[in-house]
Amino acid sequence: YIDVKNQLVFRTHNLQDFVSGFQRFTLGLAKKVIVANPMGYYADYIFSLNTASFDAVTAWVGALAYTLQIYFDFSGYSDMAIGLGRIFGFHFPENFNYPYIAKSVQDFWRRWHISLSTWFRDYLYIPLGGNRNGLLKEYRNLFAIFIICGFWHGANFTFIAWGAFHGLFLTIERFLRSYKYNSLSPKWIAHLYTMMVVIFGWVLFRSDTLTQAWNYWLAMCGANSWWNDQSNEILQIPHFVVYAFLGIICSAPNKFFQAKISRSFGLYILLFILTACILTGQDYNPFIYFRF
């Protein structure tokens, strides 16, 4: 409310906001339709299989598909909301800032679902004492917030375990930072570590039960096999590699591409038409966020 309270009374409508709002809405729609929906199809298919027969390649393909689905679904939803708001004169704060380029779990949560993490910080973490009453209480508060964050997503042990999983790594990072150990070096190692935590966390988040998540993790580590006929079948699904490559490329900022497309309103018109055409051939696929 504090972000929009003044705009509820005083806001302006102009052509510049309408154009930028339409562009932002179209970008979010494209994220949802072109990347999130196809990735969701692959993720749903693989997570519906029996994990006992999983090979590592299949498990990683499913985990990657869901990792891309959940980001492009959530950030696309936010872009559409921000764009529609701007058309009507509202300027909402950003909700995602390329979280998959993060170099730590703490950095990831600064970039992921910023409105949610900010709300938990302002209304729970700080009132509990934050980091003001010693390290042990800081760790307690941090871990407790992420347990609650998991429960906020759903009354299922997988969500609570996912919150605890992130809370554990955040606590470890805070502990190391208290001893002046701020980051991993080189940066690609820090990024690899962060993405491993995030991807394994998404498997836990997506699984129906803790047993399924554990078996999925084992499969990712090659407990069953590294490659079998199932992998060949998965990788032959039409256009999977194309959609996955597009998702990975668009998960990181590209200043050249952003500068080019931001100056061309015609490209957004074409993108809007393309997504509308794709939608006519897709089954109903609601936003993931509507479950929470």
Side-chain angles (χ1 to χ4, degrees), residues 47 59-60 62-64 66-67 100 165-166 192-205 216-217 220:
F47 273 87
W60 277 99
L64 175 62
Y66 187 67
T67 297
Y100 290 164
F165 182 78
H166 274 268
L192 179 63
Y193 145 74
T194 304
M195 287 309 302
M196 288 301 100
V197 173
V198 170
I199 292 172
F200 274 80
W202 286 142
V203 169
L204 184 57
F205 190 89
Y216 202 108
W217 282 355
M220 291 172 71

Side-chain angles (χ1 to χ4, degrees), residues 129-141:
N131 58 0
R132 298 190 300 272
N133 300 311
L135 287 177
L136 289 179
K137 289 186 177 180
E138 178 184 353
Y139 302 153
R140 179 205 65 185
N141 295 340

Side-chain angles (χ1 to χ4, degrees), residues 92-284:
F92 299 140
E94 294 296 329
N95 205 26
F96 289 87
N97 182 23
Y98 297 104
Y100 290 164
I101 67 170
K103 302 296 191 298
S104 68
V105 178
Q106 183 180 21
D107 186 27
F108 172 80
W109 278 101
R110 289 195 189 106
R111 298 170 176 271
W112 177 272
H113 206 340
I114 298 169
S115 60
L116 177 67
S117 55
T118 301
W119 191 92
F120 274 110
R121 181 198 67 195
D122 293 345
Y123 290 95
L124 288 173
Y125 180 70
I126 292 177
L128 282 173
N131 58 0
R132 298 190 300 272
N133 300 311
L135 287 177
L136 289 179
K137 289 186 177 180
E138 178 184 353
Y139 302 153
R140 179 205 65 185
N141 295 340
L142 190 63
F143 196 74
I145 290 307
F146 274 86
I147 292 288
I148 297 170
C149 179
F151 188 69
W152 179 87
H153 283 85
N156 190 321
F157 284 116
T158 54
F159 293 126
I160 297 172
W162 170 79
F165 182 78
H166 274 268
L168 174 64
F169 281 97
L170 282 164
T171 302
I172 292 172
E173 289 181 6
R174 289 285 181 93
F175 174 79
L176 293 175
R177 194 167 73 249
S178 68
Y179 286 93
K180 310 301 181 184
Y181 189 85
N182 293 323
S183 63
L184 295 172
S185 184
K187 291 183 178 180
W188 70 267
I189 293 180
H191 181 247
L192 179 63
Y193 145 74
T194 304
M195 287 309 302
M196 288 301 100
V197 173
V198 170
I199 292 172
F200 274 80
W202 286 142
V203 169
L204 184 57
F205 190 89
R206 175 60 178 77
S207 298
D208 296 324
T209 64
L210 293 177
T211 300
Q212 182 189 12
W214 176 252
N215 289 335
Y216 202 108
W217 282 355
L218 292 177
M220 291 172 71
C221 296
N224 300 327
S225 66
W226 290 101
W227 180 282
N228 60 27
D229 292 338
Q230 193 175 56
S231 300
N232 294 327
E233 179 185 347
I234 295 296
L235 293 177
Q236 288 173 6
I237 297 176
H239 312 307
F240 169 77
V241 175
V242 174
Y243 287 125
F245 179 77
L246 180 63
I248 292 170
I249 292 298
C250 294
S251 295
N254 186 314
K255 293 182 180 179
F256 175 80
F257 173 76
Q258 290 171 337
K260 290 293 184 181
I261 195 172
S262 63
R263 291 197 295 264
S264 177
F265 186 73
L267 286 178
Y268 283 97
I269 295 290
L270 293 175
L271 186 60
F272 183 84
I273 294 172
L274 174 63
T275 53
C277 291
I278 294 174
L279 272 174
T280 62
Q282 284 187 351
D283 295 329
Y284 174 64

